[in-house]
Amino acid sequence: MSDSRVNRRQFLSLAGASGVAAIAGCAEPGASTIEFDQRETASVETDDRPTADGSVYTDVYKATVDAVTLVRVRGEGGFGGPAQGEGSGFLHPGGYIVTNDHVVFSSEDVDVQVQYNSGEWTGGDVIGTDFYSDLAVIEPDTVPENVAPLALSDERPVVGQEVLAIGNPIGLEGSMSQGIVSGVNRSVSPAWHDFSYPNVVQTDAAVNPGNSGGPLVGMNGEVVGVVHATQGENIGYAISAALSERVIPALINHGEFRHSHMGIRLIPVDLTIAQANDLEEATGIFVAAVSDGGPADGTLEGSTDTTGGGVPVGGDIIRSIDGEPIPDNHALSTFLALQTDPGDTISLTVIRDGSETTVEMTLGERPEPGF
């Protein structure tokens, strides 16, 4: 394990179990009022009355809940003491459990315990983590024979689509909340970092600490996204099935996912940027700076000056990549995440010095995150 991974684990053990948990949906063991030894008895049926009919949500819940797990993690920790926390996960085809990277503290060197909905416990090993998509894969020691994995949806989610979040909020195992997809194509920036998770699904289904890593499923029982975070009231986020479909196989096979990297600092083109740079339309990405020695060095040009009001001028404005319009930073991050790999050569249409031109560049690999 590299020193950078140790540093990330130490950081998350200090800030993640408290500060990160508040925004990212993971929970410390003990945060729940229900202890583990009480959970097994809590599910025992002592009521002999007839069971209610339920609803279509009940049907989806029954078809999916057995594949949803509780994930408890302990590690060496850092300045704040032993790293420990718990979240959710779900069984993926092939016998692996998908969860969030932040649930396992961005590390493969942690002790993992998994509990299935039946109450059965098993151990497991983290075999892959990806900080930039907040995804991780656990290989459990055992999988109950009667548990069917959940498939990732191959359909693009739409606003208004009904979804269910299933997981273990504040330790309440097997909980379900209902809502809709309330936004798509979001880019969500985690605290303390200068990057964004791309292609995020927004939902108003209740997401609380402990839901992290659990599935956000559609009414067909397929996973629309991997629950990632909550922000404010009635705003939850999930890493999209499209991004998960790219990342998870790489984590299973290689333990990591290589993200494309351009090496630029960008600013979305708004009316202020457009007016200062004499653009006819307020659309595209303004290249504020180019990293020395990065993939874009020598290909793209950054800002050369600012106006009296401090607005940057003179940089390239990216309008499209490989013929696909790039109207904002969400479109750029999604294109890179879903359609490219490090080493790919892309064709960019840019506005430079008032004229449209086309340039080509070879993408690099995003470097290891630092704190």
Side-chain angles (χ1 to χ4, degrees):
M1 184 178 60
S2 67
D3 291 339
S4 59
R5 285 190 177 275
V6 173
N7 291 336
R8 294 202 300 275
R9 185 176 73 251
Q10 290 176 337
F11 177 83
L12 287 169
S13 69
L14 174 61
S18 54
V20 174
I23 63 169
C26 61
E28 281 189 280
S32 168
T33 57
I34 298 179
E35 299 296 334
F36 278 92
D37 59 356
Q38 294 175 318
R39 294 183 182 188
E40 297 180 4
T41 59
S43 63
V44 175
E45 295 291 345
T46 59
D47 192 340
D48 59 1
R49 292 177 298 172
T51 302
D53 291 337
S55 68
V56 62
Y57 307 123
T58 309
D59 296 337
V60 178
Y61 176 81
K62 289 181 177 179
T64 57
V65 68
D66 285 343
V68 181
T69 67
L70 181 142
V71 177
R72 171 177 267 192
V73 178
R74 287 187 175 89
E76 296 175 3
F79 304 108
Q84 56 182 350
E86 66 181 38
S88 302
F90 63 92
L91 190 65
H92 180 267
Y96 300 97
I97 291 173
V98 173
T99 187
N100 283 152
D101 174 74
H102 77 258
V103 169
V104 301
F105 306 113
S106 301
S107 173
E108 298 176 17
D109 187 21
V110 291
D111 176 59
V112 177
Q113 297 177 356
V114 173
Q115 186 185 37
Y116 295 99
N117 187 57
S118 63
E120 177 183 341
W121 285 92
T122 187
D125 296 310
V126 179
I127 62 170
T129 64
D130 181 48
F131 188 81
Y132 289 118
S133 66
D134 196 27
L135 292 173
V137 172
I138 297 168
E139 185 173 20
D141 294 341
T142 61
V143 176
E145 292 183 0
N146 63 333
V147 177
L150 300 183
L152 295 169
S153 176
D154 59 4
E155 296 180 337
R156 182 178 300 176
V158 296
V159 174
Q161 176 182 349
E162 285 192 298
V163 288
L164 307 173
I166 306 175
N168 307 282
I170 61 172
L172 299 172
E173 77 281 5
S175 295
M176 177 182 74
S177 57
Q178 177 268 342
I180 61 170
V181 171
S182 44
V184 295
N185 299 326
R186 302 301 194 207
S187 293
V188 178
S189 298
W192 309 298
H193 297 289
D194 60 355
F195 76 96
S196 298
Y197 300 112
N199 200 228
V200 171
V201 179
Q202 179 187 335
T203 181
D204 67 351
V207 173
N208 293 284
N211 273 114
S212 281
L216 184 71
V217 301
M219 299 308 292
N220 59 2
E222 295 183 346
V223 178
V224 174
V226 181
V227 173
H228 155 69
T230 180
Q231 181 178 355
E233 187 174 356
N234 298 327
I235 297 179
Y237 297 119
I239 305 302
S240 71
L243 182 56
S244 300
E245 188 68 63
R246 291 208 76 198
V247 174
I248 291 170
L251 299 186
I252 292 172
N253 295 321
H254 308 294
E256 62 180 1
F257 180 81
R258 300 171 64 233
H259 290 266
S260 297
H261 179 63
M262 293 179 66
I264 62 173
R265 183 166 61 85
L266 56 84
I267 302 175
V269 175
D270 59 12
L271 285 175
T272 301
I273 294 289
Q275 291 170 359
N277 287 272
D278 297 323
L279 301 176
E280 295 181 359
E281 296 180 277
T283 184
I285 297 295
F286 180 85
V287 180
V290 176
S291 300
D292 290 339
D297 192 9
T299 300
L300 294 177
E301 297 180 1
S303 174
T304 56
D305 202 355
T306 59
T307 66
V311 181
V313 294
D316 287 342
I317 293 90
I318 301 172
R319 286 289 175 79
S320 68
I321 301 179
D322 290 345
E324 183 167 326
I326 303 295
D328 52 36
N329 60 325
H330 308 297
L332 176 63
S333 60
T334 297
F335 179 88
L336 292 177
L338 299 186
Q339 299 189 43
T340 70
D341 294 295
D344 287 352
T345 298
I346 57 175
S347 177
L348 301 98
T349 299
V350 303
I351 304 297
R352 178 179 294 171
D353 298 327
S355 301
E356 184 175 285
T357 186
T358 300
V359 296
E360 291 191 347
M361 65 171 290
T362 300
L363 295 169
E365 180 178 352
R366 184 179 289 180
E368 282 279 315
F371 292 99

